[in-house]
Amino acid sequence: MKTSNKHLTKPSSKNLLKSAPGVVLILALLLVMFLADIYMASAATKSDDHQHQEDEHTEESGSHGHGNDEKHEDEEGTSQIEDAMAQTVGIVTERSGEQTLHQTILTYGRLTTAPEQTSHVRARFSGVVTSVQVTIGETVAAGDLLAEVEANESLRKYSIRAPIAGMIVQRHANSGEVTGDQILFSISSFDNLWAELRIFPSQRSSVAIGQEVFLSIGEQKVKTKIEHLLPAGDEQPYLIARAKLSNDLSMLSPGSMAEGRIVIDEFNVDVAVKIDALQILGGRTGVFVKHGNKYEFIPLIVGRKDDSYAEVISGLKPDTEYVTRNSYLIKADIEKSEAEHEH
């Protein structure tokens, strides 16, 4: 029996051409899937790297922000001001230390001249005023010529001269006028003035001659002492305490109102700060201490006070440099910085 070989024959080139498109399609699909896998893997890797970078940036940002918070906490209650700027805005410092505090009582009164400091000048003999050499407001020395008068009886001229040094405050003499017994000139000396302070019955037992008194006349501050205690007169229910004060620079005027603080007791303290230096920050009372260009708020516990100083019980050592003038500017700067930080 013969076996047929028709199934063992090689495929023809025509049959191969017919099956090639299917194979190519399959290979193309496999290639696309392979490339897609590579792309997805690459994208995932990039995404992980990007996320990792963002996490690192977030951690760095968080660390940086935390550092700012720590810096703010470290600098809370402080202000940095260069010395030139501090001088420009009028920030002044002093050293803390021992101080004498004064217990005082408050009184009021006026400045006046003493009777011996005013001279009223008249003509020695009646006559006609022939010349006048001075006018109101001029300052004269003792012996200066004020006017000349021709006497009625002798018809001889004589001079009228200043008996004291001072200022011409009144003039009642002109050339051609006849003198009588009237005052021709009044001269007052203002080199020294007197404060006349009212002492009421409730204060009388605390006031004595020789006690120190601190006077405030406008912006002027003067330290003096009580030299006289006199009845007020006119049945007034108070005494007059008279205290002398120098007026060499003519900065004070008679009639000015005066506030007097009469010292009735005094005591020494180891550490004191000026009242004007105290500020309230964060509900606490304290002062600003200077460290180079940095000003730090230091809370204090204060004790006894007078009109100028407060005793420091705790919070500040002696010989510490602290701000005594315009400390409110530093307080305002700190409060502004803290408000900006909160927002």
Side-chain angles (χ1 to χ4, degrees), residues 295-335:
Y295 296 85
E296 180 184 5
F297 181 75
I298 302 296
L300 304 178
I301 297 177
V302 297
R304 295 168 293 181
K305 299 178 182 179
D306 65 8
D307 303 319
S308 302
Y309 288 91
E311 176 187 15
V312 176
I313 296 176
S314 67
L316 198 67
K317 295 181 179 180
D319 199 33
T320 300
E321 187 176 9
Y322 71 102
V323 179
T324 58
R325 188 179 303 172
N326 291 331
S327 57
Y328 71 92
L329 297 174
I330 304 174
K331 174 184 175 180
D333 182 57
I334 292 174
E335 290 178 336

Side-chain angles (χ1 to χ4, degrees), residues 160-178:
I160 298 177
R161 298 187 177 275
I164 64 171
M167 180 182 292
I168 305 296
V169 294
Q170 290 186 5
R171 168 184 159 173
H172 302 288
N174 293 303
S175 296
E177 294 181 345
V178 176

Side-chain angles (χ1 to χ4, degrees), residues 42-60:
S42 176
T45 301
K46 290 181 178 180
S47 177
D48 290 342
D49 291 341
H50 180 69
Q51 182 64 38
H52 180 67
Q53 291 176 355
E54 287 185 344
D55 291 342
E56 289 182 343
H57 178 70
T58 301
E59 290 178 359
E60 291 176 358

Side-chain angles (χ1 to χ4, degrees), residues 107-127:
T107 62
Y108 295 93
R110 291 183 179 274
L111 299 187
T112 185
T113 56
E116 66 271 17
Q117 293 175 246
T118 298
S119 179
H120 303 292
V121 183
R122 294 177 170 85
R124 287 181 296 166
F125 309 106
S126 296

Side-chain angles (χ1 to χ4, degrees), residues 87-106:
Q87 184 176 3
T88 299
V89 299
I91 293 175
V92 178
T93 63
E94 291 185 16
R95 295 276 179 181
S96 61
E98 184 179 356
Q99 193 63 238
T100 300
L101 275 60
H102 302 89
Q103 182 183 355
T104 63
I105 59 172
L106 182 62

Side-chain angles (χ1 to χ4, degrees), residues 6-17:
K6 65 179 181 179
H7 296 292
L8 302 175
T9 58
K10 295 179 179 180
S12 65
S13 59
K14 184 177 180 180
N15 291 333
L16 289 173
L17 290 173

